Amino acid sequence: MFLRFLQWSLSIMMLSTITAIVIILSVYFILKPSLPEINLVDENVLQVPLKVLSADGVLIGEFGEQKRRTIEYQDIPLNLKNAFLAAEDDQFFEHNGIRVLSFVRAFVQLIKSGEIVSGGGTITMQVVRGYLLSREQKILRKIKEIYLAFELESSASKEEIFSLYLNTIFLGNRAYGVEAAADKYFAKSINELTLAEAALLASSAQLPSRINPIRSPERSIVRRNWILGRMYKLGFIGRAQFLLAKEEPITLDQLDSTFDLDGRYLAEIVRQDMIKRFGLNAYADGLSVYTTLQSSLQRSAIQSVQKNLFEYDKRHGWRDPVNYFNVFSSDLFAQLGAGNLEVLNQEVEAQDDLGMSQAVIAVLRDLFDESSSLDSHIKALVVDIKPERILYLDNNFNLKTLFWTDDYRWAKRRITINVFGPVPQNFYDILKIGDLIYLLNSDVERKLDQIPEAEAAFIATNPTSGAILAYQGGLNFSKSNFDRVKQSFPQAGSNFKPFIYSAAFASGYSPADTINDAPILFEDANLESIWRPENYTGKFYGPLRLREALVQSVNLVSIKLLRELGIEPTHNYLANFGFSKSRLAPDLSLALGSSSFSPAEIVRAYNFLANEGKGEDLYFIEKILDRDGNIIFQHPLSSEASESEEGISGFPWFAEQSAEKVKPFLLLPTLGGESRSIDPRVAFVTKDILGDVLRRGSNGRKTKILNRSDIAGKTGTTNDAISTWFSGFHRKLSATVWIGTDDFSSLGDNEFGSSVALPIWIDFMQDALVDLPIDPWRAPAGVVYKKVDSRTGEVVENIEQNSYFELFLEEAM
């Protein structure tokens, strides 16, 4: 009986074994076609990051892996080797690619939770995972990982696998490989690292983006000391070494690098387009991308945007800061208020992602990191308040004092965007202990400030070429990386009216023609109810010449003009400016700018008026160099390309690349053939009227500081000041400014394009126009001047007191 049971058991075991082998082999051969070739991990190529520069060679972005020196196994210091073994896989040299017990534990967790909780991964599996597979926590990926780990173990020695691991592992802050990390954090080679520094590098292996010496030094120390303890228990180091190393402080030589010029919004567009065109190799091939940005104009754009947005924000009062008093104990604030910084090292109950205890300072660091950032400001936590001063802990964990001055009388508590409390008399009126505040960090002093809720979009271009000269997609990329130049589509408001008037002039109207500005009711099938439009002043002006109506931005005249032109013919004409017909309002509200377009689309349309009726695609890359300095791309219209007599054919690499690789890098879809130009005479007449916009009234008083007669532009303000605009131009430089909020809330009463957007344009142009010569506005052939009566617009023969010279298209006379 027993013998029969034994035979039966052996048969079952053999059958199970055979079945398991068949299943394993079957799964392997099923998955084999989808598995990458294992020899890919043996490639040893020096990887150099993608560099993005301004046209004049100033670095604005860098993407991809750091340049690194590949190290061989025999060159790895013993302490560094043992630190990673202790931290990640102390049995690496004994197992065959997987650790059965760890894998079983991970499998049990998978069954319980329905997802992969811990990887049960060895160093071999981490190499396979990092090089060959996605990071998705899926069962199929884990199965592939196991097969590839076995394959790698069979084709490479343990020493080769381990050196490959240390050469490729990501250790935070764009440092790939231990050599790059040692240089990043300590400005040393791996051969110069102390025992504590070697363990500190290993501490970043599991969660490099969250636990690294820059991002979270406190948690890195805790993790480092745990690794040192493991090294001691495993016999890698002695007790004296352990005790000395765990007391060694972190001394970092290099912090996060900053670029010489803030062009991050455009640099991100470059990154995305480079990957689309050249693939992921763009991150490692050492390409240098020269954009069209001019560094001086970019700096001016940023300064003018920030200066005016902060001024606008202060006009609308003080918003209560986020308060964190309840996150910490009242004793913590009392201790900090008494100047005791040691309390920051006390532990809190919450644990981090690795299950390690956290110190107060680590929680504070997360709090600072998770709040909005602005490069010009520091963050701080108010720890004590007196009427005349506050004590605060800044984001570098220094205790500082700020004294009250009358400069803070602007900080009237905001009740609504238009209603404020009384003028504050001291800090008690505006702050509480635990408030997270922002301080302007100037060279002279720190000042209490707040980050504006309003956002901005600014784009400047060369109308004659389409080159983008300055580009800012928001107040600051650190605060929000959403690109409002290209990705936001607010209503255009009165900024759109010049294109309606251009359609009229192209249809035979002249600036001297009059339309009666009087109340009217509209019954439009496309509108939900009877429409009674008004002018923003609430007044009516009677018969108005079209020139005057556009200068004064009179709504009723624009609406009546569009009604006379017809919606469909106007749509057809507006398409010439690059506006998509499908996105143009199908009713008379089109005349008031109810259609939504991005600032990039608006500035491109204004370029037609600046450039004698000719449209150009907006482009942002002039040239691309490979790691050896050879040109692999040149924009066809760039100055260097145009110097070649043969144009594009002058660059032999054009013949060697596909059309996809050599086509220009455009910000917007290319203009169609029918959208390349409008009548230059229409463009000149419209531009001449927009010149009046900047010479007269309140706009004229503001632009007087520019002392230029060769500029033109138009403001725009939508209902309730939800969006404010200004677009203006010189023959060689155009710029569009949009100011609003991301939730499209009102900017407040008495805020208009002239009060919010125009000042930004003026400040920018003060710098930009210095190098641009006066452009004499010469009327193109076919435009004639006639003296007309300023009240009626009728042509007059004699010199009249109320007459002036007006522009007409020749055939209209």
Side-chain angles (χ1 to χ4, degrees):
M1 185 70 178
F2 175 75
L3 184 60
R4 184 179 300 175
F5 176 76
L6 183 61
Q7 290 175 338
W8 180 80
S9 298
L10 288 174
S11 299
I12 293 296
M13 291 174 62
M14 291 179 61
L15 181 61
S16 299
T17 302
I18 294 171
T19 302
I21 293 172
V22 170
I23 291 173
I24 292 171
L25 290 175
S26 299
V27 172
Y28 175 75
F29 285 112
I30 291 172
L31 293 178
K32 179 64 176 175
S34 65
L35 294 177
E37 291 296 328
I38 201 67
N39 58 13
L40 287 177
V41 300
D42 293 327
E43 292 182 355
N44 183 18
V45 180
L46 184 64
Q47 299 187 344
V48 184
L50 170 70
K51 293 183 182 295
V52 184
L53 307 101
S54 66
D56 43 343
V58 180
L59 186 67
I60 64 172
E62 193 172 58
F63 304 97
E65 298 184 358
Q66 293 282 352
K67 183 175 181 179
R68 59 173 178 249
R69 179 179 65 86
T70 301
I71 54 174
E72 302 295 334
Y73 179 79
Q74 60 269 22
D75 297 326
I76 302 172
L78 182 62
N79 281 336
L80 185 64
K81 185 190 309 177
N82 288 337
F84 276 90
L85 289 172
E88 298 299 307
D89 187 0
D90 60 273
Q91 298 179 28
F92 170 73
F93 286 95
E94 284 75 47
H95 62 64
N96 59 356
I98 67 169
R99 296 176 64 173
V100 177
L101 290 179
S102 296
F103 180 72
V104 170
R105 182 183 68 250
F107 183 75
V108 171
Q109 291 173 336
L110 169 64
I111 298 299
K112 288 182 178 180
S113 64
E115 60 182 13
I116 296 176
V117 177
S118 63
T122 62
I123 283 177
T124 306
M125 294 171 72
Q126 289 185 50
V127 170
V128 167
R129 185 186 312 145
Y131 252 79
L132 305 173
L133 301 168
S134 73
R135 301 232 173 227
E136 295 178 289
Q137 296 282 59
K138 293 183 178 178
I139 297 176
L140 183 60
R141 191 221 68 189
K142 180 60 67 176
I143 294 173
K144 290 182 177 181
E145 195 177 293
I146 293 170
Y147 281 130
L148 287 173
F150 281 129
E151 192 169 332
L152 179 57
E153 288 271 350
S154 65
S155 62
S157 69
K158 286 286 189 180
E159 290 77 11
E160 290 172 329
I161 295 171
F162 192 76
S163 62
L164 187 61
Y165 170 69
L166 291 191
N167 278 318
T168 60
I169 185 172
F170 176 55
L171 293 171
N173 293 286
R174 300 179 63 250
Y176 287 81
V178 290
E179 184 71 19
D183 180 66
K184 175 69 180 179
Y185 296 126
F186 310 113
K188 293 180 178 180
S189 170
I190 56 173
N191 295 313
E192 303 170 295
L193 295 176
T194 66
L195 169 61
E197 289 169 343
L200 192 65
L201 289 189
S203 72
S204 300
Q206 286 197 20
L207 294 172
S209 296
R210 290 186 58 83
I211 299 181
N212 64 68
I214 291 176
R215 171 71 168 77
S216 50
E218 299 79 26
R219 277 179 281 183
S220 293
I221 288 179
V222 173
R223 179 72 176 165
R224 177 201 70 181
N225 290 348
W226 178 85
I227 292 171
L228 289 169
R230 287 273 301 154
M231 294 176 72
Y232 172 55
K233 290 178 181 178
L234 291 168
F236 293 154
I237 58 175
R239 178 172 176 77
Q241 289 176 293
F242 165 63
L243 294 175
L244 287 173
K246 69 190 288 286
E247 297 301 323
E248 184 176 310
I250 293 180
T251 304
L252 299 181
D253 186 85
Q254 298 183 4
L255 297 179
D256 284 326
S257 60
T258 56
F259 300 117
D260 299 325
L261 177 68
D262 188 356
R264 288 173 289 179
Y265 284 104
L266 191 67
E268 175 59 19
I269 296 176
V270 170
R271 183 194 69 81
Q272 293 177 17
D273 277 34
M274 290 294 291
I275 299 305
K276 287 178 184 176
R277 190 169 298 193
F278 296 102
L280 292 175
N281 286 340
Y283 282 145
D285 285 348
L287 302 179
S288 295
V289 181
Y290 285 81
T291 67
T292 55
L293 286 189
Q294 295 291 334
S295 60
S296 61
L297 296 182
Q298 179 68 9
R299 289 192 179 95
S300 180
I302 293 171
Q303 290 169 2
S304 60
V305 165
Q306 292 190 353
K307 168 181 174 287
N308 287 281
L309 265 189
F310 275 97
E311 289 178 359
Y312 155 79
D313 190 67
K314 287 180 172 61
R315 293 200 295 269
H316 292 273
W318 174 258
R319 302 183 304 277
D320 287 337
V322 177
N323 187 272
Y324 292 97
F325 184 82
N326 292 329
V327 173
F328 304 98
S329 68
S330 57
D331 181 64
L332 171 69
F333 290 102
Q335 292 286 337
L336 289 173
N340 179 20
L341 287 174
E342 291 299 319
V343 71
L344 297 177
N345 296 318
Q346 293 181 1
E347 289 187 356
V348 296
E349 293 183 4
Q351 294 183 329
D352 66 15
D353 296 335
L354 290 179
M356 297 188 298
S357 298
Q358 296 189 80
V360 170
I361 193 171
V363 177
L364 280 169
R365 194 182 301 278
D366 283 343
L367 182 151
F368 285 135
D369 288 345
E370 290 166 4
S371 56
S372 296
S373 297
L374 202 62
D375 299 337
S376 55
H377 289 62
I378 65 166
K379 305 169 201 176
L381 196 69
V382 177
V383 299
D384 189 54
I385 301 179
K386 294 289 187 291
E388 75 286 352
R389 64 100 179 118
I390 60 170
L391 187 66
Y392 64 86
L393 182 74
D394 67 21
N395 53 0
N396 292 317
F397 303 104
N398 300 307
L399 282 172
K400 299 284 186 180
T401 301
L402 183 71
F403 291 96
W404 176 266
T405 74
D406 285 344
D407 290 342
Y408 302 134
R409 290 172 64 84
W410 66 266
K412 294 175 288 187
R413 190 176 301 276
R414 181 190 293 186
I415 299 171
T416 71
I417 191 69
N418 300 310
V419 180
F420 319 108
V423 174
Q425 303 301 312
N426 55 56
F427 281 122
Y428 279 157
D429 291 339
I430 58 176
L431 292 175
K432 298 185 294 293
I433 292 176
D435 279 348
L436 179 70
I437 59 174
Y438 291 86
L439 300 163
L440 178 63
N441 194 25
S442 67
D443 295 333
V444 180
E445 60 180 336
R446 291 179 175 179
K447 288 186 177 181
L448 180 66
D449 211 344
Q450 66 183 6
I451 296 182
E453 288 182 322
E455 278 291 353
F458 185 101
I459 179 172
T461 71
N462 182 337
T464 62
S465 68
I468 296 171
L469 306 178
Y471 193 101
Q472 188 70 359
L475 172 65
N476 186 275
F477 192 86
S478 297
K479 178 193 173 193
S480 167
N481 58 19
F482 177 62
D483 182 0
R484 295 158 190 84
V485 170
K486 181 181 179 182
Q487 297 175 320
S488 183
F489 299 88
Q491 286 188 339
S494 297
N495 207 224
F496 193 76
K497 287 178 181 175
F499 309 114
I500 300 293
Y501 281 75
S502 294
F505 301 145
S507 299
Y509 286 79
S510 79
D513 290 335
T514 61
I515 290 180
N516 189 25
D517 178 38
I520 190 171
L521 297 178
F522 290 101
E523 292 188 27
D524 191 322
N526 292 310
L527 299 174
E528 294 181 358
S529 61
I530 294 175
W531 184 34
R532 183 185 285 105
E534 296 180 348
N535 297 319
Y536 78 92
T537 61
K539 300 178 182 179
F540 302 100
Y541 302 97
L544 273 182
R545 290 172 289 110
L546 294 187
R547 174 180 288 272
E548 191 66 20
L550 181 53
V551 169
Q552 298 295 333
S553 199
V554 178
N555 288 340
L556 290 175
V557 173
S558 302
I559 293 169
K560 291 180 178 180
L561 178 62
L562 176 58
R563 184 177 63 172
E564 294 180 12
L565 291 171
I567 298 293
E568 185 173 353
T570 303
H571 278 188
N572 292 335
Y573 184 79
L574 293 176
N576 293 323
F577 291 97
F579 295 123
S580 171
K581 292 182 185 180
S582 64
R583 289 166 52 205
L584 291 168
D587 51 54
L588 294 175
S589 69
L590 176 67
L592 304 185
S594 64
S595 300
S596 299
F597 294 100
S598 68
E601 292 170 308
I602 292 294
V603 78
R604 183 176 66 177
Y606 269 89
N607 284 352
F608 282 79
L609 306 179
N611 190 34
E612 300 176 344
K614 296 188 289 292
E616 297 292 345
D617 287 316
L618 304 184
Y619 73 97
F620 53 90
I621 292 180
E622 286 285 2
K623 63 182 177 181
I624 302 172
L625 309 182
D626 65 15
R627 68 172 66 195
D628 298 318
N630 301 312
I631 295 177
I632 62 172
F633 170 85
Q634 184 85 57
H635 185 77
L637 297 180
S638 68
S639 57
E640 293 180 44
S642 60
E643 289 174 1
S644 170
E645 293 183 1
E646 298 178 354
I648 293 178
S649 62
F651 296 92
W653 42 264
F654 266 104
E656 299 171 1
Q657 299 190 51
S658 66
E660 174 67 22
K661 289 289 181 71
V662 300
K663 71 179 184 180
F665 289 83
L666 303 181
L667 186 66
L668 301 171
T670 186
L671 292 165
E674 70 281 1
S675 302
R676 283 289 178 186
S677 65
I678 64 169
D679 188 331
R681 301 174 304 165
V682 170
F684 182 82
V685 170
T686 308
K687 178 177 76 169
D688 187 75
I689 299 174
L690 297 184
D692 274 355
V693 171
L694 293 192
R695 287 188 288 269
R696 294 170 49 185
S698 61
N699 289 344
R701 289 189 292 272
K702 291 175 180 178
T703 58
K704 186 177 181 180
I705 191 174
L706 299 176
N707 193 29
R708 298 290 290 242
S709 60
D710 57 344
I711 54 176
K714 182 71 179 72
T715 58
T717 308
T718 63
N719 289 341
D720 298 321
I722 289 173
S723 287
T724 61
W725 296 80
F726 184 81
S727 295
F729 54 86
H730 173 276
R731 176 78 169 85
K732 293 289 186 179
L733 179 66
S734 65
T736 285
V737 185
W738 170 85
I739 304 296
T741 62
D742 288 339
D743 62 0
F744 295 109
S745 57
S746 173
L747 292 176
D749 292 345
N750 301 314
E751 296 292 0
F752 307 96
S754 59
S755 65
V756 184
L758 175 58
I760 294 175
W761 186 86
I762 291 173
D763 285 350
F764 172 77
M765 283 295 188
Q766 272 191 278
D767 296 331
L769 289 173
V770 170
D771 296 325
L772 294 178
I774 296 291
D775 176 36
W777 285 6
R778 296 188 177 92
V783 173
V784 297
Y785 290 85
K786 290 288 184 178
K787 187 173 283 293
V788 301
D789 186 289
S790 60
R791 291 166 298 186
T792 66
E794 298 291 336
V795 175
V796 296
E797 297 298 332
N798 301 321
I799 298 177
E800 303 285 347
Q801 184 176 359
N802 293 318
S803 64
Y804 73 100
F805 282 101
E806 185 55 274
L807 302 174
F808 293 85
L809 302 191
E810 197 168 45
E811 64 269 22
M813 297 305 299

